[in-house]
Amino acid sequence: MSKASGGKFRCTQCALEVPFEHFGRRPPFGEGVVFLEDAYTRRDPFSSKATPLFLGGVCKICSKTVCRMQSCSIFYSSRFCVECASQNIEAFPAEVQKDVVIPAP
Amino acid sequence: MVAPFDWSAYQATLDNLFHREGDAYPAGSNEYEELKDFVARLAKFRAAQAKRGVEESTSADAEAADRLGIPAKFDTRYRVNVGLITDHKRRAAQHRGGCSLPGERVEEYKQMLVLYEDFRQKRQFAKLLKLQTDRAALPISSFAAEITAAVESSQAVVIAGDTGCGKSTQLPQLLMTSGFKQIAVTQPRRIAAVSLCRRVAFETLNEYGDEIAYKIRFDSTRGRGTKVVFLTEGVLLREMVGDPTLKQYEVLVVDEVHERHLSTDLLLGLLKGILAERPDLRVILMSATIDLARYSAYFGNAPVVQVPGRLYPITVEYLPQQPDDEKAQSSAREGGKRRERRGAQRIDARPYLKILERIDQQFPAEQRGDMLVFLSGMQEMTTVADALRPYAAHTRRWVVLLLHSALSVEEQDKVFDIAPDGVRKCVLSTNIAETSVTIDGIRFVVDSGRVKEMTHDVAGSLTQSLQEGWISRASAEQRAGRAGRTGPGHCFRLYSQTDFASFPEFTTPEIRRVGLEQLVLQILALGGGDPRSFDFLDPPPPESLEAAVRSLVSHEAVRAAPSYLEGGREHLVLTPLGEVLSGLPVDVPLGKMLVLGSLFHLSGPVVAMAAALSVQSPFIRLPDGEEGDEARVARQSLRSEHGDAFTLAATFGRWIAIKRGRGGDDSKASGKWCKRHGLEEQRLYEMAKLQRQFQDLLTESGLLKKARGGGMGGGELRRDPLKRKREQQQRRDAQAHLHELQRKRDRDRGRKVLKLSEPLETEPEPEPEPDPDDGAPPEPLDIRSLELKLTVDLEALAEATGRTLGRNDVNLLKVIIASGLYPNVAVPDPNNSQRRESEALFHTRHVADARLHPASVLVGAEVPPTAREVLVYTTLLETHKLYVTNLVRLPALPALLLTGQRIHTTPDCRRLLVDDWLLLRIKEAPDVAQHVVKTACELRASVSKLLRIRLRSHGPAAKESAAAAAAADAPDWVQELVESVRSDEEVYSDDLADRLAQLLDTTVSYTCERIQPQHVPGQFARSKPPNPDRDSAAAPLLRAARAALSEGDQSAPEEGVQVAPFLRWGSLEPFESPFVGHSVHMRKHWQCPVCGEKLLMNLNEIEEHLEAHEGESKKEMFERAAERADHGKGGPDGVRGLAKQAFNGGEESESLEGEGVRVPVQQAGETSGEVENRKTMGDDVGMQAGSAEPEKRETVSAVQRKRYVCEQCDSKVYLFTPPQVLQHKRTHK
């Protein structure tokens, strides 16, 4: 489940590129912080203590790597890229629907 | 109405359940404080929501939701992707007293924690995004394509960008994205290399990998994955020794080219040569927008990409300072960058205070904007800070901070912190903030227009001096520009517009103002050919280059060898010493000290001294009066009468002993000790680091045996393998701990909010207000302490520095120091005894009237430097007055004999002229004098020989076998064997060391005086007397007169024998010129010692007079003198002495014995008896002859009268004494 560090995290939606350190639910750095999805994380460069910073995850439907920006993906019990979320918009409750960004064709 | 739940009432319970050490948000952490706010706001929001009534959450199409495997019914919790593992349940259970909070509230709080973490995650991610977008917004980003194209099309590219355009941080990233993998970026300063590396690593979010690395002397983070390495120019030059074409790099970026350090110019010259050999190599010069055409032209019209800075408009206001001496300003008008000594008064701080007041009046406190003040140096900064601080404290609108290169990185970081609302930072800085350190948020710049620079007296000595002068126009513009980085700014220039117009256009590059020894060594070591024909961007003054070569030759680091290729023309070659010195990134004097120190097994103290002389003095200037008395008394125990180097080394030794002595708590103990002695501990840490570096350098060059084990008691590691293992583990743990601490420190840094009562520097805080929030332990101390333990073998160091120095050691150390520092020699003024101690004057060869630096231990020495002593110094410091700094005292005679570059002697060696300015008179019999000179010479030759042998034996082959033995971890006895095979001259060096040390204790009696340059030529013997037997009595005098006439004629003396490169024997006129003070312009009373006539003559006439005596035979003269002496009161002793001197003057024989009077026996003939008598009187040489009484003239006997045929008076014949002849001649004129 948990993959050791390595390489660059690259969002397939917005092309953001950031080196990540860990992929998985329980990053080795950070005290007690766990993620409810397989997460690309790295140590928070802005924090004085070692704490994980979530960069993005994997779309449950298309398995593409996406960052956490709302214009790229949405989390609702699982991560969905904006493409898949908008194609399946009816599956989400209204509270979530209003946050789903419809990507420009 | 539902009131929001008051969580803060239960804070203690919550802290116990959720916020212990090791939890996600431990109490007291930044996150914890933020969380409390978050919780309170959330509680309020929930209360408001409850009031509105809870809305029913909606459900999605159940089937579709099921298909995706997501819950159909909405809950905010499903939107959160993060969770927290907490231990609160167990803790609550443990807490028997019962939890004051009901269980569901505890769970609610836990949910709030999760929401907070989610909020935090989003915010931090936004920060990360902003970091990336900010980069894209930098001016240079829009030039990315242009730069990439230029680099593709041309081998060399010049990128010009004003500060703030982001070139230093962005270009390496740009190159990386263009696909380059081996990028080197040079920086002029170590600090810049490290901080840029951190910055770029941070921006590229690579701070945990090794993709972005730095490499500075002895510290490198470079790894296999490194793509960009920031290094100092010096480190890159060192890499070129082993990799002359820099094959390991694809791109070389030379940053801050406009600063034009010595190493920059050398690097550019070498790179220019490499480009032809490596067509694949790219060189990028990065510069401020200064003098671009020159760089472009130097690299064959390299393309220039200009990136505009991000500057807002700046209002410049000239505020010329009237009272501040007009002299300074007028001289600026005349000569631009001419240096002038300012009056004794300190800098006037009032203008600075006025500007502060004005800003407070003109600009509302809510308008942010800090102030940056450019001052010339530390002392000025302190003076101004002292003046501004009361105002700052009173108004509570300013925080005064200092910034200069001697501060540690942590201390420097303080200027980046944020001032609280309504308060402005006032940063007093040297020119370091001009280009190398950028502070954001500066709105006001105050420019004193002054700068202190190390300059080098090119014309004469190789003396470095720190001199103050006006800045260049380019500098002034840079300084002003600092005000417009974040918004429109103001610049106050404390000089007039006319002054500004008279400033030189650019700052003089270092190559034109500093000593070039290291440069010459490096060019030779890097195969750059003859430094005199090196292709410089800006050729140094030839005389400066020549002076450097001469100095290196005299230090025996370079020698001239005839080149076969160039048809016998001489070219320069490094000696073994020069090779070692070229690899030591220290000044030649220090390098030589280090080499000699290891040669004589004194590397411990010498390394400590060299380190001490390289950092700022740890001794804080103590306040006058009682306040500083305690420290003054405490310091007495550290004080060494031998000089500053000894005192500093002793201080360092004591500190190390304390560091080693205690267990874990040493930082406190040493801190206390430093405080008690008025010491700046940071400087001692720096010394320890340097000490280690020097040690490493010497080991690397094969001069020292490799110390095994490194830090943490390497000594015992060797024997017990179990212990060794354990210690290694401890070491690893400590290392990990250190890294953890360092990281934490780095992250904690961020930008803090400054406290108003921020103490200035190390000065004690005037308000003794205890700050309850400030109970945190001084963390950097612990890091420093730990760092010290890891990098330095305290055990070995304590052994090396704690060793008590015997008399011989002290003497030998003095010789070593003097050999390195020569010609930095000062002698006391003869009238010092009549002056107050602080007014005592000292003279160097080229500079008169320097004082002892107030920080020197020789100020207030029990025995002030005597006339028989010389002082060697590291720097001639020119501030308000001239100072010699870092002094060591030595007896003049042995010191000068052992270090002087050109020593001339009389045949009897009783008078010596050293480097044309110091005259030594040995008041002993000639054989004693000769013995001293001979001994010193032999010792010197032996040292040279030892250096050659020893350094050659440390050449590649020997080094390899030793290194191989060490690497193979061979048993000790094998290594010892390798050592002993090479050590055939060890005994020799020990013996030599003893003899050198003993020479300093010589009991020979002598005097030492400074002579004026115009009197130097008169000291030399002009021509060899044809034959002493036939030499007339007047001949030596005549020679002296002719010498005096040819004053200023600097032709090399040709007399005597060049015994050694530094010693010419017999080249001084055997008896001292009696014509000091005579000139061709003025007649002066003079009594001819030959005929006893008292005359009023100028030099020309004296010459003529003596020429007339030339005709007399020596015998005649002798007889006459003898006769005169025979008359009892036949003349003053001086006259007889002189006459007698004249007889013996030209003699070059081994028969110099007794009182230096050996009578030519044949001529003495029957009168030998009288000669014997006069022997006892012959000691006195000099001008006393002039004091002869008039009646004595009558004793001139008829014997001396001669027939004289005068052609002008119809060939009349006279019977004249020689003076009468002259007088007669004159009547015809």
Side-chain angles (χ1 to χ4, degrees), chain B residues 567-578:
Chain B
R569 237 188 72 200
E570 283 197 329
H571 72 276
L572 301 170
V573 214
L574 289 181
T575 63
L577 174 66

Side-chain angles (χ1 to χ4, degrees), chain B residues 1030-1044:
Chain B
R1030 271 181 283 139
D1031 195 11
S1032 80
L1037 276 173
L1038 189 57
R1039 281 200 299 274
R1042 283 179 182 151

Side-chain angles (χ1 to χ4, degrees), chain B residues 106 152 217 291 310 353 401 463 549 574 597 677 849 1000:
Chain B
V106 174
E152 237 153 65
R217 216 206 294 172
D291 218 6
R310 208 167 31 179
L353 188 59
L401 299 167
T463 313
V549 170
L574 289 181
H677 291 81
D849 298 345
L1000 249 62

